[in-house]
Amino acid sequence: NLELIVPSDGGAPRLDLQSRVFGFDTTRTPSYLPVGVLPAPVVGWLDRAIIQGRVPEAEVAFFGPIDAFPFDNGEGQLRARFSVEDGVLAYVDDWPVAKAIEGEVEFFNAGFTAQGTGMIMNEDFARMTGGVADMRDAVLTVSGDVTASLGEFLDYLRAVPVTARRLGPDLSRLQSNSGSGVVTLDLNLPLKDIGAYALDAELAMNAGELEIQGFDLSANDIQGRLRLSDNVVTGEGIRAMLFGSPVIARVAAADEPGYRARLEVSGSVEAEALQQNFDLPFGSLFSGETAWEGHLLLPSNALDDDPTFEREPLRVAVASDLTGAGLGFPAPLEKPAAASMPLELAFTVLPTNRLDVEGHLGMSRRFALSFWSTDSGLQFRRGSVRFDGAYPLLPPDDGLDIEGIVRQLQLDGWLALLRGQDLLNRDEPILSRLDLDVTNMTALGQRLGATTFAVRQGRDEWLIELDSDRVAGHIAVPFELRGRPQIVADMQRLHLTFTDEPPARQIDPRDLPGLLVNSSDFAVGQRNFGRFSANVQSDPLGLRLVSYESVGDLSLIHISEPTRRR
């Protein structure tokens, strides 16, 4: 139904039109719009965005002078109403498209509104409303909500270039195998400047699971809400299960330069759960349960190709006073469960597949460690431990440096512990240097008192130096003891005592290495034997004394094994 009036004075024609259209292809929509009054970026967006769709029936009405469109002063009206079926819309270049769109669209003068459903995350239908108020200065607004699995939501964020750039490699570390979320969003998208978008979104998580790859860390049964506004992620009162115990988390903007978000977590943890999750060495020596708190700092990322931008590393910090947790290590790392002992750990994840750990146990025991992240897990590279409160620095070479002052050291307990973990027979020993001043040291069943204790890594053996009132000298212990080679000891003094107390454990002589020892001053109890030497070799039946000699002021003892005939 059409009426066209053309004034005889050359004025603008007036059009009155009412029409119904059937079987309309939505990809032809730009051809019927007044592109002459629309900015070129808007026309280009319409051409690219409308990929597919079918309109079973449309109603179009237009009345008013043609040159007055879009009728800002009420001179006339354009109205078009239609339903869309099987629509596909690429609302932002390089973003995942919205598919299977079913809804209602209404154009009114220079703008339009739309509402309906569509799929923006795999097979999950979203309810959406939106439109453009004025196509001449087109700002597309979209509001909607969708229920999807957390895994699908993470996949969507990784597929959206702007969020992938903002979240960077940290987003790729996040994985989810279970749980769902309801996402609500409000998007303002200037069609003439897509990069100036504004996005408000909220994710309500239900029974979710998140895993941070590279940390072997996962949380489950996550309940709570995360909000994204002005590119800042926030969240309060988020509850989850971590290491088998409940925790509470919050997310806020980071207050440190170079970081965009801070995740804070607090809760408690059982020693058994830590062992199950991380397969810790010496895990059987941890016991009890303790409260802890920690935070994770997410670094900012470059939003353009700025070659000068340097991304900060991902950082994680954990702190606890360890009340309720027991440490069953020998001295000086022992701790009863009831005692309080501050523990702080700071993890730094570097982009070179390197993990650095710094912290302290108590105020005087500080450490700095560095690991490689490999396909088979974390591999220790180098580290430093200080027992004098000084700040440790990573050594230049691979291996572990230990130094400082300790009140007590039980060497026998540590040797048994390391032997049980097979850490004394490694092809590449971890320890490279040890320098300790010990107030009260015990070794090989002997109470040595104040002792200077040093260890160096030689080519094929440990080089040990002891200096105390009772024992002083140099000892060479081969790295590989399974063949039961000889330990070589060159001692200035060797004063031994024996008690009636039973040994802490029974020793099988067939497990012991041989011994080649020389001492300038040898004594047992109150009796001094003077200069001393002994050659003890391993044998399938145990140990064999090849030779023994001691020369004192009033005594001479010499024992040698008879020469064996062949």
Side-chain angles (χ1 to χ4, degrees):
N1 184 1
L2 180 148
E3 180 179 274
L4 178 65
I5 301 175
V6 182
S8 59
D9 60 3
R14 177 184 178 86
L15 174 66
D16 287 330
L17 167 70
Q18 289 184 334
S19 178
R20 297 174 67 193
V21 182
F22 301 90
F24 183 75
D25 184 351
T26 59
T27 59
R28 298 165 55 193
T29 300
S31 302
Y32 295 94
L33 294 176
V35 296
V37 298
L38 299 180
V42 176
V43 177
W45 179 82
L46 288 169
D47 286 334
R48 297 189 307 271
I50 304 175
I51 296 177
Q52 177 182 307
R54 185 172 60 87
V55 176
E57 181 178 352
E59 295 182 356
V60 181
F62 183 104
F63 64 87
I66 293 177
D67 67 347
F69 181 83
F71 310 125
D72 292 327
N73 299 314
E75 303 92 339
Q77 185 180 98
L78 165 67
R79 187 182 297 273
R81 297 177 180 174
F82 55 88
S83 300
V84 175
E85 296 178 352
D86 197 25
V88 178
L89 182 68
Y91 48 98
V92 183
D93 291 344
D94 299 327
W95 286 35
V97 299
K99 301 176 295 183
I101 297 175
E102 308 277 341
E104 304 290 328
V105 181
E106 180 176 9
F107 279 85
F108 181 75
N109 292 343
F112 75 87
T113 59
Q115 61 180 357
T117 62
M119 292 189 298
I120 59 175
M121 296 184 194
N122 295 336
E123 303 301 320
D124 301 294
F125 276 90
R127 296 177 297 178
M128 297 180 292
T129 61
V132 173
D134 190 335
M135 296 289 283
R136 292 166 295 181
D137 186 23
V139 177
L140 176 66
T141 63
V142 179
S143 298
D145 61 81
V146 58
T147 300
S149 70
L150 288 184
E152 290 173 331
F153 180 66
L154 292 175
D155 289 341
Y156 180 80
L157 292 180
R158 282 187 278 266
V160 174
V162 65
T163 56
R165 285 198 307 270
R166 287 189 178 277
L167 298 180
D170 304 318
L171 180 60
S172 65
R173 290 192 180 97
L174 279 178
Q175 302 292 330
S176 179
N177 297 317
S178 65
S180 63
V182 178
V183 180
T184 58
L185 61 87
D186 291 293
L187 174 67
N188 285 354
L189 191 68
L191 300 184
K192 293 191 291 185
D193 184 8
I194 297 294
Y197 77 96
L199 175 63
D200 255 341
E202 185 176 85
L203 169 63
M205 296 172 287
N206 180 38
E209 178 185 347
L210 286 176
E211 177 183 347
I212 303 179
Q213 292 185 335
F215 272 95
D216 293 329
L217 183 64
S218 63
N220 50 51
D221 197 20
I222 303 173
Q223 310 282 345
R225 296 176 181 270
L226 287 175
R227 184 178 181 186
L228 173 65
S229 180
D230 295 328
N231 293 315
V232 176
V233 179
T234 58
E236 296 285 345
I238 301 171
R239 298 182 178 274
M241 297 293 291
L242 186 64
F243 309 129
S245 298
V247 296
I248 298 177
R250 67 182 295 267
V251 181
D255 54 3
E256 296 191 33
Y259 291 88
R260 69 178 181 278
R262 177 185 177 100
L263 170 63
E264 299 176 353
V265 185
S266 61
S268 62
V269 63
E270 295 182 356
E272 183 179 354
L274 280 179
Q275 175 64 13
Q276 291 175 351
N277 281 271
F278 294 106
D279 191 22
L280 298 173
F282 315 116
S284 61
L285 301 179
F286 298 93
S287 62
E289 180 179 5
T290 190
W292 67 279
E293 59 183 23
H295 68 262
L296 181 148
L297 285 173
L298 291 173
S300 302
N301 297 286
L303 302 183
D304 51 31
D305 297 328
D306 182 3
T308 65
F309 179 82
E310 293 186 9
R311 186 176 185 269
E312 297 293 333
L314 177 68
R315 289 163 48 192
V316 180
V318 177
S320 173
D321 64 5
L322 295 183
T323 301
L327 303 180
F329 292 98
L333 295 183
E334 79 286 6
K335 177 196 168 300
S340 174
M341 181 179 292
L343 169 68
E344 290 190 6
L345 299 170
F347 303 87
T348 303
V349 182
L350 298 169
T352 55
N353 289 329
R354 172 178 153 190
L355 172 65
D356 286 352
V357 184
E358 296 180 357
H360 64 84
L361 177 64
M363 299 313 298
S364 62
R365 302 165 225 178
R366 298 183 177 272
F367 50 87
L369 309 172
S370 183
F371 299 84
W372 289 120
S373 179
T374 66
D375 293 338
S376 58
L378 291 178
Q379 180 179 351
F380 176 77
R381 180 186 177 193
R382 54 188 175 136
S384 176
V385 179
R386 297 292 299 257
F387 284 94
D388 52 10
Y391 188 83
L393 298 176
L394 287 175
D397 300 320
D398 288 354
L400 179 65
D401 288 358
I402 302 175
E403 59 183 310
I405 302 170
V406 297
R407 179 181 55 84
Q408 188 173 3
L409 175 63
Q410 297 175 354
L411 184 60
D412 295 352
W414 281 105
L415 290 176
L417 191 61
L418 296 174
R419 193 180 298 113
Q421 293 287 325
D422 198 27
L423 295 178
L424 295 179
N425 297 318
R426 298 173 64 95
D427 294 334
E428 297 182 1
I430 291 178
L431 180 66
S432 59
R433 182 176 68 89
L434 181 145
D435 284 294
L436 291 177
D437 287 329
V438 187
T439 304
N440 186 13
M441 179 170 174
T442 59
L444 301 178
Q446 302 297 306
R447 299 181 183 275
L448 305 184
T451 306
T452 299
F453 180 42
V455 180
R456 296 290 184 273
Q457 186 182 133
R459 181 173 181 178
D460 298 309
E461 69 278 319
W462 297 113
L463 303 176
I464 302 172
E465 183 176 349
L466 286 168
D467 190 359
S468 69
D469 289 341
R470 299 181 52 212
V471 176
H474 302 271
I475 304 172
V477 181
F479 292 152
E480 181 57 72
L481 293 176
R482 281 175 287 197
R484 301 175 68 206
Q486 280 186 303
I487 296 174
V488 179
D490 185 11
M491 313 300 293
Q492 285 82 48
R493 54 186 172 273
L494 185 60
H495 295 183
L496 305 179
T497 60
F498 297 98
T499 66
D500 294 332
E501 296 180 6
R505 66 184 184 93
Q506 297 297 321
I507 299 176
D508 189 336
R510 293 171 296 182
D511 296 332
L512 296 177
L515 175 65
L516 182 63
V517 58
N518 290 280
S519 177
S520 301
D521 181 8
F522 176 58
V524 178
Q526 300 298 319
R527 185 168 181 178
N528 192 299
F529 291 90
R531 191 173 68 253
F532 162 76
S533 64
N535 183 359
V536 180
Q537 295 184 358
S538 63
D539 187 274
L541 297 179
L543 295 174
R544 188 176 79 250
L545 179 63
V546 176
S547 66
Y548 169 93
E549 182 177 272
S550 63
V551 180
D553 293 338
L554 301 176
S555 65
L556 170 63
I557 302 175
H558 178 84
I559 302 173
S560 61
E561 183 182 47
T563 302
R564 295 184 179 182
R565 294 182 179 179
R566 295 187 176 181

